[in-house]
Amino acid sequence: MELDLTHALAVLERTPASFRALLGGLPEVWTTPNEGPETFSAFDNLGHLIHCERTDWLPRARIILAQGTDRRFAPVDRFAHYQESAGKSVADLLDEFAQLRAENLATLRDWRLTDREFALVGEHPALGSVTLGQLLAAWVAHDLGHLAQTARVLAKQYREAVGPWRAYLPVLDRP
Amino acid sequence: MELDLTHALAVLERTPASFRALLGGLPEVWTTPNEGPETFSAFDNLGHLIHCERTDWLPRARIILAQGTDRRFAPVDRFAHYQESAGKSVADLLDEFAQLRAENLATLRDWRLTDREFALVGEHPALGSVTLGQLLAAWVAHDLGHLAQTARVLAKQYREAVGPWRAYLPVLDRP
C-alpha cells in the first residue's frame, strides 16, 4: 500500500511499547546472545534503534525538507551502538528509545506534512535519490524488521532444545 | 541453551502483551493483508495462536504426562482458525489469546514440573518421539516465530513504498 502518514504513525508510535512488552524484565540469558559475528542480540537491536532515532530518520527528513544545495545524507554507522550502549541495561535502553521516539513523533506531527513534501527528494549516500515519503515508509519497515529480528534471535536460543520440532520452525534457521 | 522452565515462562507470559502492544488499535489496513495464498495476516497469526492454545500445547503435554498406552498426539489443523476467527475483531482475538494463555500458564505452573517430567516422551504424528521438554521449548519458539511473522507481514505492506530502501530491508522479501 502507499504511504499514509496516519497509518505510518500508528506503527511508529507502537514500536517502543512492543519492545517493552517483549523485553522488559526478560532474563539476560535471552537478551544478551546474538546470532553470530556482526549480528545483533535483542539488546543490540534496541541500541541500534536508538542510534537511528538520533542520527537517521529525522536528521535526514530535515535535510530533505530544507531543500538546500547539498541534500546528501550522512551514512549511518550500523555498529555505533556497541559503544553507545556499553554499561546500559535493557531497561535503560527501553526508556531511552521510548523517550526519543515520542519526541521525534511530536516533531513529525508538528510538521503537518502533505503529499507535496512526501515527494521532495534527498540523496542517500549509497541508494541515490530518495523521497521523504520513501524515508518515512522505510522508518516503519525498519522498526518492524528489527522487531522480527529480535523475536528471531530470542527464538534461536531454543534451536537445540526444541529437538525434532526444528523442522517445523523455520525462524530457528533463518539467517 | 537448554530448556529452563522459569526462562520459558518468562517468554510465554509476555507473548499476549507483545501482540497487544503491536496490534491493539492498529488500523485494519495493517492487520488484514497476508503474504499470499495460504499465508497468515496479522489477524490470522493471532487466530492460529489461539487455536494452538486450545488444541496443541497443553493437550499434548497432558498426553505425555499421563504416560498411557497411546501417547500419540492429534495433528494440529494449521488453518482451523480461518473458521474459528470469522466475525471476530483483532481486539476480540487479543483478549481471547491473553485469557487462554493466562489459564494455560497457571496450569503449567501448578504442575511443578521437574527434569524427570521434561524427559518423558510422547509421539508426534509426523516427527515421532518427542519429550515434554522439547514440547515446551517448541511452544516458546513457536510464539516468537509468529511474532516475527506478524512483524514481517506488516512490514511487507510498505514493500513498494520504501522505494530504493527495499535493498536494505531483507524483511520485505523474506518468504
Side-chain angles (χ1 to χ4, degrees), chain A residues 1-8 10-11 14-15 17-27 29-30 33 56-57 60 73 124 126-131 133-142 144-145 147-152 154-169 171-172 174-175, chain B residues 1-8 10-11 14-15 17-27 29-30 33 56-57 60 73 124 126-131 133-142 144-145 147-152 154-169 171-172 174-175:
Chain A
M1 63 190 188
E2 291 188 18
L3 177 79
D4 171 289
L5 189 55
T6 306
H7 294 158
V11 174
R14 280 166 174 76
T15 307
S18 300
F19 276 90
R20 190 181 295 279
L22 180 62
L23 301 179
L26 198 65
V29 293
W30 287 115
D56 188 334
W57 313 109
R60 290 177 168 190
F73 309 151
H124 187 285
L127 299 172
S129 288
V130 289
T131 68
Q134 289 165 346
L135 176 75
L136 296 178
W139 192 1
V140 171
H142 182 265
L144 294 165
L147 183 59
Q149 189 176 335
T150 300
R152 186 183 72 218
L154 296 176
K156 283 187 179 177
Q157 305 317 311
Y158 273 175
R159 183 153 57 183
E160 308 301 329
V162 301
W165 264 288
R166 185 164 168 179
Y168 281 8
L169 295 163
V171 71
L172 300 180
R174 196 164 274 150
Chain B
M1 64 190 188
E2 290 189 20
L3 177 79
D4 171 290
L5 189 57
T6 307
H7 294 159
V11 174
R14 280 166 174 76
T15 307
S18 300
F19 276 90
R20 190 181 294 280
L22 181 63
L23 300 179
L26 198 65
V29 293
W30 286 114
D56 188 335
W57 313 110
R60 290 177 168 191
F73 309 150
H124 187 285
L127 298 172
S129 288
V130 290
T131 68
Q134 289 166 345
L135 175 76
L136 296 178
W139 190 2
V140 171
H142 181 265
L144 293 165
L147 183 59
Q149 189 175 335
T150 300
R152 185 183 73 217
L154 296 176
K156 283 188 178 177
Q157 305 316 310
Y158 273 175
R159 184 153 58 182
E160 308 301 329
V162 301
W165 264 288
R166 185 164 168 179
Y168 282 8
L169 294 164
V171 71
L172 300 180
R174 196 164 276 148

Side-chain angles (χ1 to χ4, degrees), chain A residues 42-120:
Chain A
F43 180 84
D44 294 331
N45 273 278
L46 275 176
H48 171 68
L49 286 167
I50 288 169
H51 184 73
C52 291
E53 218 56 29
R54 290 192 200 282
T55 67
D56 188 334
W57 313 109
L58 282 210
R60 290 177 168 190
R62 285 195 174 91
I63 289 171
I64 296 175
L65 288 169
Q67 289 291 294
T69 47
D70 184 4
R71 299 171 194 175
R72 196 175 173 85
F73 309 151
V76 168
D77 181 348
R78 287 188 56 243
F79 299 102
H81 60 88
Y82 287 145
Q83 202 161 0
E84 292 169 1
S85 303
K88 296 181 181 172
S89 66
V90 166
D92 293 334
L93 297 185
L94 288 169
D95 288 345
E96 194 174 350
F97 179 45
Q99 187 182 335
L100 288 167
R101 175 57 59 92
E103 291 168 6
N104 283 343
L105 295 188
T107 300
L108 179 60
R109 286 193 174 90
D110 281 349
W111 286 343
R112 299 180 185 285
L113 300 173
T114 66
D115 287 348
R116 197 190 69 81
E117 284 90 19
F118 293 152
L120 294 176

